[in-house]
Amino acid sequence: LYESVLASGGMDGTLLYWNLGAKGSEEPAARIPYAHDMAIWDLQWHPAGHMLATGSNDRQTKFWARNRLGSTAGLQESSEEKEEDVLTAEI
């Protein structure tokens, strides 16, 4: 279902989502700065592909939910968000 999406974690605690294949690019499709306070060491997708668990050197495990296919819930931009802080795209 979501085989065209790759998630990666940075040493600075940033969580990145990448599109693979025809929708792919050299830039991440979404970036979550400060997802963790320290380096992200492990990422695991739920078998259904809608949930991602991340483990960090900050001794926290966090769960990240994705919209289901076709849903736009939660994708409206806040007037307080800066474009350079969070990148959003279809992932």
Side-chain angles (χ1 to χ4, degrees):
L1 186 60
Y2 294 110
E3 293 176 356
S4 64
V5 177
L6 171 76
S8 65
M11 293 298 291
D12 62 353
T14 299
L15 179 60
L16 301 166
Y17 288 97
W18 304 84
N19 284 327
L20 305 176
K23 292 184 181 181
S25 72
E26 293 184 13
E27 295 296 320
R31 176 183 319 226
I32 304 173
Y34 313 110
H36 282 277
D37 295 331
M38 299 179 83
I40 296 174
W41 291 109
D42 194 26
L43 301 103
Q44 291 290 321
W45 287 104
H46 183 278
H50 69 289
M51 185 89 64
L52 176 71
T54 57
S56 171
N57 204 34
D58 61 10
R59 297 182 179 192
Q60 293 183 7
T61 300
K62 295 186 178 183
F63 297 89
W64 307 89
R66 297 180 40 172
N67 288 339
R68 296 185 187 270
L69 286 176
S71 173
T72 59
L75 296 179
Q76 293 77 20
E77 290 186 25
S78 167
S79 60
E80 298 175 10
E81 275 186 72
K82 295 181 180 177
E83 188 173 322
E84 63 270 6
D85 289 343
V86 178
L87 298 175
T88 58
E90 182 183 327
I91 55 171

